Amino acid sequence: MNDPALSLLGFAAKAGKLSFGTHATEFAIDTEKARLILVANDISEKSIKELKFKADKKRIPVIKLENTDKTTLSGRLGKNCGIVAVNDEGFASAVLKKQEEFAHDGEI
């Protein structure tokens, strides 16, 4: 099953509202452009922990895409990446909303 955020991320990518990869994401955090960080489920815990540390300082949410691996994320976005920063408040809010809906749909 694919993550519901992937379709929104495709639109954000086409609109130029994403930063792809670790270094670009860290730069987006440092320059306060990032509004949300998304991480594929097969990224190392060490990498996630380091990224989360930086993002937490700026109060930027970090979400692990539990149903999406790096290959799937890369394929959907057309870039080889496992970490993505969403640099637009509207897209970030929409992705967060989709993630919440997806989480609640699985509850009994």
Side-chain angles (χ1 to χ4, degrees), residues 1-4 67 97-108:
M1 176 189 295
N2 282 337
D3 199 287
N67 297 309
K97 184 176 179 183
K98 282 280 190 193
Q99 288 296 111
E100 287 176 15
E101 290 171 2
F102 182 67
H104 286 94
D105 286 346
E107 292 178 7
I108 297 176

Side-chain angles (χ1 to χ4, degrees), residues 23-53:
H23 297 295
T25 296
E26 288 176 350
F27 183 76
I29 293 169
D30 292 341
T31 58
E32 299 184 6
K33 291 181 181 179
R35 300 291 175 246
L36 174 66
I37 310 299
L38 300 168
V39 182
N41 64 12
D42 54 350
I43 298 299
S44 75
E45 289 301 319
K46 181 181 183 236
S47 294
I48 294 170
K49 185 177 179 179
E50 290 170 359
L51 192 62
K52 189 160 174 36
F53 179 77

